[in-house]
Amino acid sequence: MSRPKNDAFLRALLKEPTDFTPLWMMRQAGRYLPEYCATRKRAGNFLNLCKSPSMACEVTLQPLARYDLDAAILFSDILTVPDAMGLGLYFAEGEGPKFERPLREEWAINSLSAPDPYDHLGYVMDAVSEIRRALNNSVPLIGFSGSPYTLACYMIEGQGSSDFRHIKGMLYSRPDLLHKILDVTTQAVISYLNAQIDSGAQAVMIFDTWGGSLSASAYKEFSLAYMQRIVAGLKKEKDGQRIPNIVFTKNGGLWLEDIAAIGCDGVGLDWGIDIGSARRRVGDKVALQGNIDPNVLFGTPETIAAEAKKVLDSFGPGNTGHVFNLGHGISQYTPPENVTVLVETVHAHSRTLRK
Ligand code: CP3
């Protein structure tokens, strides 16, 4: 199997030269696109959309039809894994994700087991293969999972949280129970990501949205150590091609050196950190992905272009090692036409930096 025609995203992660800086956007398929809202309406709700391989494929391709993006990301959600573990995921309209059976009791924690990805998450594997066929080797497909700590936040809180008192209460009173949850979830994530790779994902990303809410020592023990185990357990090659991985801890900038040391190929950055100083801190150990503030997309064409150039100029000279992205998911209120300005500026300006 050969690489996609546009393989700049894979090359940048693997530190091979590229003619321009590749970019994609977290949540690039989402509610800011009217065509996404139309498909979601047809699906009935968000979870039906995730569980239908053909509709998941359709929305994955929507942003690529509009914009010159350099990678596709599987349309799904991180919470499909705890759903497959039996917690009962649902999305109450306008309220975000919830679980029918949050994980708090010792007996429930002890009976937790890692799901077979081809059985309980077969719809994700079907979506991955369908998307690969539809992409027809144009750009690479990114698979993903949540980090064990971030998944555990939703599993234990039962929904999003502003203080995480249930999971942190467990962390500081029954760390053994939390470690048990994280251990089983880590096994689940390894087999889930490897199944995505076997089904056709050409790179994988771990979203650690909530690791940054921990203290430095708790982050290392309860989030980073498990992501290190995942990275170690991932397939690194498929059909003779390297499968790069990216680790993204939101608000993890303080621990960048530690993250870069776990053996990952790329580290995702939120917009709080200057990407040039991040690069000086990690040297050429890992590629960096990021990191414009998604709210820049509420600016004018001129400010969007200027802010995009700032990120590229701050990363500095060189012809590889940077994947441009937003520092977090795109807002549902983003005017779609503003994304065109971002994409065109990143491609054009990064070419001038290589001359
Ligand atoms: O990037 C992509 O385009 C791929 C698809 C993707 C989604 N969720 C689709 C989605 C990915 C990679 C995710 C990851 C995800 N899901 C994370 C980690 C990344 C992050 O954003 O921090 C988390 C924490 C979740 C859990 C989750 N799913 C929440 C908190 C919500 C509600 C947030 C909101 O904006 O309403 C979701 C729902 C969700 N996942 C939507 C999309 C497009 C919006 C759902 C809708 O259409 O109603």
Side-chain angles (χ1 to χ4, degrees):
M1 210 49 150
S2 61
R3 280 202 181 162
K5 280 179 217 77
N6 174 358
D7 63 354
F9 165 77
L10 298 173
R11 296 179 68 89
L13 282 175
L14 296 168
K15 302 289 190 93
E16 298 168 15
T18 63
D19 297 334
F20 57 89
T21 302
L23 94 158
W24 67 280
M25 299 182 300
M26 287 190 260
R27 292 270 174 97
Q28 62 190 22
R31 286 167 294 185
Y32 72 107
L33 293 177
E35 57 271 35
Y36 168 86
C37 295
T39 311
R40 184 177 175 272
K41 199 167 173 190
R42 244 198 304 132
N45 61 47
F46 172 71
L47 216 48
N48 287 349
L49 184 53
C50 292
K51 292 187 176 181
S52 154
S54 66
M55 285 195 273
C57 175
E58 183 182 318
V59 296
T60 299
L61 300 181
Q62 286 170 348
L64 297 152
R66 266 189 193 248
Y67 313 115
D68 190 12
L69 296 163
D70 301 298
I73 180 160
L74 160 71
F75 187 84
S76 189
D77 198 82
I78 61 167
L79 301 177
T80 55
V81 169
D83 184 48
M85 290 163 113
L87 274 66
L89 175 64
Y90 66 101
F91 283 78
E93 194 60 45
E95 282 186 63
K98 290 195 175 170
F99 285 109
E100 281 164 24
R101 293 172 287 282
L103 204 53
R104 308 238 175 107
E105 313 290 339
E106 186 157 1
W107 63 264
I109 294 167
N110 285 330
S111 58
L112 203 63
S113 68
D116 176 343
Y118 292 100
D119 184 1
H120 298 96
L121 292 157
Y123 62 90
V124 177
M125 305 313 145
D126 292 343
V128 170
S129 359
E130 193 163 333
I131 297 164
R132 268 304 297 279
R133 276 196 300 279
L135 283 172
N136 195 21
N137 251 7
S138 51
V139 292
L141 174 62
I142 307 167
F144 70 89
S145 166
S147 74
Y149 185 76
T150 293
L151 294 177
C153 283
Y154 289 96
M155 291 160 80
I156 296 165
E157 300 294 332
Q159 57 186 58
S161 172
S162 55
D163 57 8
F164 298 106
R165 65 198 163 90
H166 296 288
I167 187 168
K168 289 195 173 185
M170 190 184 289
L171 190 157
Y172 291 113
S173 62
R174 290 295 306 272
D176 58 311
L177 290 184
L178 183 55
H179 277 303
K180 166 88 194 176
I181 296 171
L182 294 169
D183 179 61
V184 176
T185 307
T186 296
Q187 296 168 32
V189 169
I190 293 172
S191 57
Y192 180 57
L193 287 177
N194 282 336
Q196 289 185 32
I197 292 170
D198 278 332
S199 304
Q202 291 149 299
V204 291
M205 174 154 162
I206 304 167
F207 286 88
D208 185 26
T209 309
W210 300 119
S213 68
L214 290 167
S215 72
S217 68
Y219 173 69
K220 283 186 201 163
E221 180 179 347
F222 294 92
S223 186
L224 191 61
Y226 290 96
M227 293 199 286
Q228 181 160 16
R229 260 176 63 188
I230 293 168
V231 169
L234 286 177
K235 292 201 174 198
K236 304 296 182 322
E237 247 188 58
K238 171 90 195 306
D239 300 330
Q241 301 294 330
R242 272 277 282 120
I243 308 289
N245 56 67
I246 306 164
V247 168
F248 171 58
T249 293
K250 180 139 191 283
N251 295 318
L254 282 171
W255 313 311
L256 190 58
E257 291 84 353
D258 299 311
I259 301 170
I262 68 169
C264 54
D265 298 296
V267 174
L269 304 174
D270 63 70
W271 65 90
I273 187 169
D274 175 74
I275 195 166
S277 59
R279 187 185 187 186
R280 288 185 289 278
R281 282 167 59 189
V282 300
D284 57 11
K285 206 164 185 154
V286 290
L288 294 174
Q289 177 174 277
N291 71 339
I292 201 167
D293 181 348
N295 296 305
V296 163
L297 291 168
F298 293 116
T300 63
E302 292 73 29
T303 55
I304 295 167
E307 292 294 327
K309 288 179 188 167
K310 268 191 211 165
V311 173
L312 291 165
D313 292 344
S314 169
F315 183 82
N319 59 7
T320 188
H322 183 201
V323 172
F324 197 99
N325 205 316
L326 312 179
H328 199 200
I330 189 168
S331 159
Q332 62 174 308
Y333 305 108
T334 306
E337 61 277 13
N338 288 0
V339 173
T340 310
V341 181
L342 179 72
V343 174
E344 286 175 359
T345 306
V346 170
H347 284 156
H349 188 66
S350 63
R351 281 182 193 274
T352 69
L353 293 175
R354 281 163 170 77
K355 290 210 175 102

